[in-house]
RNA sequence: GAUCCCGUAGCUCAGUCGGUAGAGCACUUGACUUUUAAUCAAGGAGUCAUGGGUUCGAGUCCCAUCGGGAUCACCA
């Protein structure tokens, strides 16, 4: 234990010796929040020059003590609750209740109270000489003693931050500390929740049914990725953590629901970096009798609504890094081939494989011998086009080889009816007119099996029950998936996924008390 | 998985050419009846990530390991 921790434990014993319970059981009747008092306190100036305080004259507030400034027989604290901070003003005489021998002020508060302790106080709001709305404390109670020192972050009047708690490792491992001392972290997560609620409300209004589908799946389907594998003891069979829920949601469309959505965790056993966490949140929704054009309209409406909910001024334009991004539709719609033509001059439609390979070699795009034409196109797109798609852009009509669950294009042979949405140079959504032809779907699965046989660990497994479902008949359906974490990054201006997950995956901590 | 950078007090960081560990905040003791990065005086606090090596001597140089970050590969 460190010196400061030992001192705090000694203080805890001293409090108990004085008959003060540092961890009382009874509830504390909070009647106001710090930020509300600061924002709404009112007083009037009387003719004789004195002030008449108009509201918050009997408040009970609770929170952590985040700063203390002693001034002889008076003392100032900053109290932080869930809404923000407010200054407290304590006077020796009052805290001691007129009893000269009372230990309350000089011992209990000045010595035994630490920064970080939870306290509850009763008092009245007023404005100090320097103009700060504060609470004049009349009653003071310990609610929970803190045994470890918090990092002390200080801010001056101009908002300059001193000694910020910034080490990412410590911030992620001890998110509770991060949230306590870094208010902007709190704001990011509140925005995340607001984004999710806005999307839910929109989808509910559209009339979609929110559903839950299995996380433990006997066959991992619906995406190209490596799964986590587990084992069920009683059934004595392997189970996989889902990499996607697409095939289950489509079974529900087969079952007669017109529209379903699920927002939930997916799990992929792959590398981690600032845009990948082993578990992440996806939204998928599927709507019968629609196609991918309809989904583009819906996407525009949904994201505009999210932008308006999260932007400071209620507008559809969000500042992301150095870019002002306008989420009001309609968004640019560009075929993949046109996009590549615009940014490279290549005509990938007519080019053959060797021509594409030459282009990649000349432009420093890494390729290998196993890549077919579709894969080469994807590489060129990722290198040369994707980073330039700052304003929301629908990239439409992909080669069939890369999309085993997507309906073939109604007019263009070799392509599928698929789009991906790009914003700020990154993909945030992937959608298509769903393949509902069971015979075509079986062939696509068989193509995937051939890839798997060649060693592709991410090839999709054949799901016989899903094919059976399609054989019973699935109406024409449009479906889309959004990475909620990446959307959150976009709308909060964060550049790493760890900043939008409360508890990002970390390696085990080396033993330190 | 590969490469590079980082790890010193509770927090943020200095630490020169290899010569017995430093600052600010926090903490302790004291002063102060409206302070606000409060101020003033004094003091305590370190397995320099871990383990080896080189050296008379290592926070510093070398090797390995652990953890974090960045870039790349794979992916959403």
């Amino acid at each position: 234990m460190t010196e400061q921790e030992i001192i705090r434990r000694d203080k805890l014993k001293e409090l108990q010796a004085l008959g003060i319970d540092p961890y009382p059981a009874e509830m504390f009747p909070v009647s106001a929040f710090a930020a509300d008092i600061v924002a709404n306190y009112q007083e009037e100036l009387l003719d004789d020059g004195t002030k008449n305080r108009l509201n918050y004259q009997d408040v009970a507030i609770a929170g952590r003590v985040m700063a203390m400034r002693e001034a002889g027989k008076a003392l100032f604290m900053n109290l932080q609750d869930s809404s923000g901070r407010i200054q407290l003003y304590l006077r020796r005489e009052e805290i001691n209740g007129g009893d000269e021998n009372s230990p309350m002020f000089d011992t209990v508060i000045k010595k035994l109270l630490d920064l970080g302790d939870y306290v509850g106080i009763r008092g009245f709001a007023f404005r100090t000489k320097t103009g700060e709305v504060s609470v004049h404390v009349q009653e003071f109670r310990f609610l929970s003693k803190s045994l470890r020192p918090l990092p002390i972050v200080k801010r001056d009047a101009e908002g300059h931050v001193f000694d910020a708690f910034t080490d990412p490792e410590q911030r992620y491992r001890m998110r509770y500390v991060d949230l306590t001392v870094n208010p902007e972290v709190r704001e990011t997560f509140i925005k995340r929740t607001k984004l999710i609620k806005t999307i839910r409300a929109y989808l509910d209004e559209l009339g979609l049914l929110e559903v839950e589908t299995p996380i433990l799946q006997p066959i991992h389907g619906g995406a190209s990725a490596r799964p986590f594998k587990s084992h069920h003891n009683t059934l004595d069979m392997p189970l996989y953590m889902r990499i996607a829920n697409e095939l289950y949601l489509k079974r529900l469309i087969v079952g007669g629901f017109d529209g379903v959505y699920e927002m939930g965790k997916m799990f992929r056993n792959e590398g981690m970096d600032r845009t990948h966490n082993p578990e992440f949140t996806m939204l998928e929704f599927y709507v019968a009798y629609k196609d991918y054009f309809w989904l583009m309209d819906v996407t525009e409406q949904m994201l505009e609504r999210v932008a308006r909910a999260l932007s400071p001024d209620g507008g559809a334009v969000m500042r992301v890094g150095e870019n002002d991004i306008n989420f009001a539709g309609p968004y640019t719609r560009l075929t993949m081939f046109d996009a590549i033509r615009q940014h490279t001059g290549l005509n990938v439609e007519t080019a053959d494989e060797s021509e594409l390979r030459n282009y990649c070699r000349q432009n420093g795009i890494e390729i290998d011998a196993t890549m077919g034409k579709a894969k080469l196109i994807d590489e060129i797109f990722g290198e040369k086009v994707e980073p330039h798609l700052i304003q929301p852009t629908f990239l439409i009509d992909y080669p069939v080889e890369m999309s085993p669950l997507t309906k073939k294009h109604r007019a263009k042979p070799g392509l599928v009816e698929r789009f991906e949405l790009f914003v700020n140079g990154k993909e945030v959504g992937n959608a298509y007119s769903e393949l509902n032809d069971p015979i075509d779907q079986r062939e696509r699965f068989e193509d995937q099996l051939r890839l798997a046989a060649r060693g592709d660990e991410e090839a999709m497994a054949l799901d016989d029950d899903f094919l059976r479902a399609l054989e019973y008949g699935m109406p024409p359906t449009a479906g889309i998936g959004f990475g909620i974490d990446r959307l959150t990054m976009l709308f909060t201006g964060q550049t790493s996924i760890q900043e939008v997950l409360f508890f990002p995956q970390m390696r085990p901590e080396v033993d330190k008390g």
Side-chain angles (χ1 to χ4, degrees), chain A residues 190-486:
Chain A
I190 290 172
K191 279 186 182 171
R192 181 184 171 113
T193 297
K194 203 181 268 183
L195 174 142
I196 287 170
K197 293 185 88 150
T198 303
I199 289 174
R200 263 212 175 90
Y202 177 73
L203 297 178
D204 290 342
E205 269 177 47
L206 270 185
L208 310 194
L209 184 72
E210 180 167 16
V211 298
E212 292 179 281
T213 63
I215 288 174
L216 294 172
Q217 302 179 347
I219 299 167
H220 56 282
S224 301
R226 284 158 63 185
F228 287 92
K229 189 174 183 180
S230 188
H231 182 263
H232 190 281
N233 288 342
T234 305
L235 296 175
D236 191 22
M237 63 179 278
L239 284 174
Y240 300 91
M241 312 279 281
R242 67 180 176 193
I243 56 173
N245 52 0
E246 171 162 354
L247 302 186
Y248 283 94
L249 292 173
K250 285 193 219 173
R251 283 173 170 94
L252 297 179
I253 299 293
V254 171
F257 292 109
D258 281 342
V260 293
Y261 75 92
E262 180 173 17
M263 207 173 321
K265 288 282 180 75
M266 304 296 154
F267 308 85
R268 297 189 184 175
N269 205 343
E270 290 166 346
M272 295 158 52
D273 59 30
R274 69 176 199 287
T275 54
H276 296 84
N277 195 66
E279 57 179 283
F280 63 102
T281 303
M282 284 262 294
L283 162 69
E284 295 209 15
F285 62 88
Y286 292 83
V287 184
Y289 313 118
K290 308 295 187 192
D291 62 12
Y292 73 145
F293 290 113
W294 180 84
L295 278 177
M296 291 186 220
D297 298 338
V298 164
T299 298
E300 287 163 354
Q301 287 166 25
M302 188 176 92
L303 293 188
E304 177 172 351
R305 198 185 284 204
V306 170
R308 290 187 187 281
L310 296 188
S311 70
D313 59 355
V317 177
M318 297 279 293
R319 183 99 191 148
V320 180
E322 295 176 354
N323 301 313
D324 284 320
I325 294 178
N326 183 1
F327 286 96
Y331 304 160
T332 303
R333 299 176 185 192
L334 201 55
T335 68
M336 186 172 224
F337 291 169
D338 284 342
I340 293 174
R341 194 175 299 123
Q342 278 181 20
H343 287 90
T344 68
L346 268 180
N347 185 342
V348 292
E349 210 167 343
T350 56
D352 62 10
E353 202 174 310
S354 64
E355 206 173 319
L356 296 178
R357 280 183 184 283
N358 278 334
Y359 178 86
C360 289
R361 256 179 240 116
Q362 285 160 17
N363 287 273
I365 299 171
E366 279 186 45
I367 50 170
D368 62 58
T370 68
M371 290 178 177
K373 185 173 169 184
K375 188 70 184 161
L376 292 170
I377 291 172
D378 193 40
E379 292 292 320
I380 293 168
F381 173 78
E383 280 292 320
K384 294 293 173 188
V385 182
E386 189 170 336
H388 301 294
L389 302 178
I390 302 300
Q391 295 301 320
T393 304
F394 291 117
L395 245 287
I396 66 176
D397 299 344
Y398 285 64
V400 62
E401 296 90 331
M402 298 159 56
S403 313
L405 301 169
T406 309
K407 192 172 249 191
K408 282 175 179 150
H409 199 281
R410 61 194 75 181
K412 302 174 184 170
L415 300 184
V416 290
E417 297 207 345
R418 172 180 176 188
F419 72 78
E420 292 187 307
L421 174 65
F422 291 85
V423 185
N424 202 34
K426 295 183 185 76
E427 187 214 323
V428 298
N430 179 22
Y432 30 89
S433 301
E434 302 296 334
L435 176 53
N436 63 343
D437 173 345
I439 294 166
D440 189 358
Q441 181 67 78
R442 185 175 293 275
E443 286 167 6
R444 306 274 195 100
F445 273 141
E446 282 164 358
D447 289 342
Q448 290 291 308
L449 289 183
R450 279 188 282 278
L451 287 177
R454 285 210 320 233
D456 185 343
E457 286 185 76
E458 294 175 347
M460 271 185 214
L462 187 145
D463 188 332
D464 275 311
D465 176 69
F466 175 66
L467 287 170
R468 177 167 62 188
L470 289 191
E471 285 165 9
Y472 277 99
M474 182 171 86
T477 298
I480 187 163
F482 287 97
I484 292 296
D485 312 286
R486 291 187 178 177

Side-chain angles (χ1 to χ4, degrees), chain A residues 67-125:
Chain A
M68 271 203 277
R69 294 176 291 280
E70 294 176 24
K73 296 189 176 102
L75 189 158
F76 294 89
M77 295 179 188
N78 290 344
L79 186 79
Q80 174 173 291
D81 68 13
S82 61
S83 72
R85 290 189 182 192
I86 191 167
Q87 176 167 269
L88 305 182
Y89 175 56
L90 292 83
R91 295 174 61 149
R92 182 175 197 274
E93 204 179 82
E94 278 172 285
I95 295 298
N96 284 347
D99 174 3
E100 255 312 301
N101 298 317
S102 167
M104 270 308 284
F105 190 79
D106 292 299
T107 304
V108 174
I109 290 174
K110 283 179 87 165
K111 289 208 190 334
L112 303 183
L113 177 74
D114 284 304
L115 298 187
D117 288 354
Y118 272 97
V119 302
I121 64 103
R122 264 182 21 87
F124 60 87

